[in-house]
Amino acid sequence: MDTPPPAGRHRPTLRLVPTAGARTVNQPSPFGPEPTGGSTDRTGLPEVMRQVAHGDKEAFSVLYDALAPLVFGIVIKVVRDRAQSEEVAQEVMIDLWRQAARYRPDSGSVTTWAATIAHRRAVDRVRSAQASADRERAQAAREHRTAFDEVAEQVETRLDSEQVRRCLGGLTELQRQVVTMAYYQGLTYREVAEVLHAPLPTVKTRMRDGLIRLRDCMGVTT
């Protein structure tokens, strides 16, 4: 059965409203005792579930009264937040209505089945909230990193346009080519040697000599 929950008899939401000591009817609490004296007990829930599977709205009302406190109690222990717990608990009750035809008594009691669905839904909500928080932190980190990169790029551009380029001009042609390919284009020594058609030892030597001259030109001390 995959029809919406019965609308003929409105079921109250799970939102709890403080009262002056009296417990509101059909307002479940995860900590207090469960309602007694209802139209059925849990030993009769398999038959109730069978009727719900056939679309019996009154049976769903009975099921709701019997299981809503249990469902809410399980959910709030996992989710912690009361408002979210009420939403998840309502989703679980809707699941019980829609999936009633899938229940099999030989697989376990109705309460165990409902508890499993409630716990799964609660865990999913917590994981979803955690994933959302992780995405927000990652986005904040990316924005911070972007701002840092922009500053670094400005500094690098300034150095390129002033000191670094001036110092590069003081290198020999081969030294300048080797340094530029290695540090600005990210090529390895071997790749530079292949591009310039030069022996690998020569490239390494020119790189070393070029970096020494750059260091001296820029006033870098070691």
Side-chain angles (χ1 to χ4, degrees):
M1 178 183 62
D2 195 21
T3 58
R9 178 182 172 188
H10 175 67
R11 301 309 304 162
T13 63
L14 293 176
R15 184 171 299 280
L16 303 183
V17 180
T19 62
R23 183 176 176 185
T24 306
V25 176
N26 289 327
Q27 297 299 316
S29 167
F31 308 111
E34 297 181 13
T36 59
S39 57
T40 187
D41 57 29
R42 291 183 177 178
T43 60
L45 287 182
E47 174 59 23
V48 173
M49 185 63 73
R50 186 187 67 79
Q51 296 172 8
V52 172
H54 286 84
D56 189 321
K57 298 177 181 179
E58 289 301 320
F60 180 71
S61 296
V62 173
L63 185 72
Y64 192 105
D65 290 337
L67 296 183
L70 170 71
V71 167
F72 183 77
I74 292 173
V75 171
I76 198 170
K77 289 178 182 178
V78 177
V79 178
R80 303 292 183 178
D81 180 79
R82 181 171 294 273
Q84 290 194 50
S85 296
E86 292 166 356
E87 293 178 3
V88 174
Q90 290 286 37
E91 292 171 359
V92 173
M93 298 310 298
I94 292 174
D95 283 345
L96 294 178
W97 167 260
R98 291 176 172 172
Q99 301 180 29
R102 301 179 185 177
Y103 170 70
R104 296 293 180 269
D106 54 356
S107 299
S109 67
V110 173
T111 53
T112 298
W113 188 57
T116 300
I117 296 176
H119 186 266
R120 183 172 64 247
R121 276 276 190 174
V123 171
D124 288 345
R125 175 61 66 94
V126 171
R127 288 176 176 172
S128 177
Q130 183 62 49
S132 178
D134 290 344
R135 285 193 297 270
E136 291 178 359
R137 283 193 293 268
Q139 179 63 29
R142 284 194 296 270
E143 293 175 354
H144 174 76
R145 181 62 186 174
T146 298
F148 173 81
D149 288 344
E150 289 175 353
V151 173
E153 183 178 356
Q154 292 175 4
V155 172
E156 183 179 358
T157 300
R158 180 175 179 276
L159 290 175
D160 284 350
S161 62
E162 297 176 3
Q163 191 173 15
V164 174
R165 289 186 177 180
R166 177 173 57 81
C167 291
L168 282 173
L171 304 180
T172 66
E173 181 65 21
L174 184 57
Q175 288 174 342
R176 185 164 55 252
Q177 288 179 329
V178 170
V179 171
T180 299
M181 290 182 180
Y183 281 85
Y184 286 83
Q185 299 179 19
L187 301 183
T188 64
Y189 286 152
R190 188 171 301 278
E191 290 171 338
V192 172
E194 292 176 355
V195 171
L196 297 179
H197 302 289
L200 183 58
T202 300
V203 169
K204 291 183 177 180
T205 300
R206 295 298 181 270
M207 175 70 74
R208 181 198 62 198
D209 294 344
L211 290 178
I212 290 174
R213 294 184 65 174
L214 277 177
R215 182 195 64 188
D216 294 341
C217 176
M218 298 177 66
V220 177
T221 59
T222 58

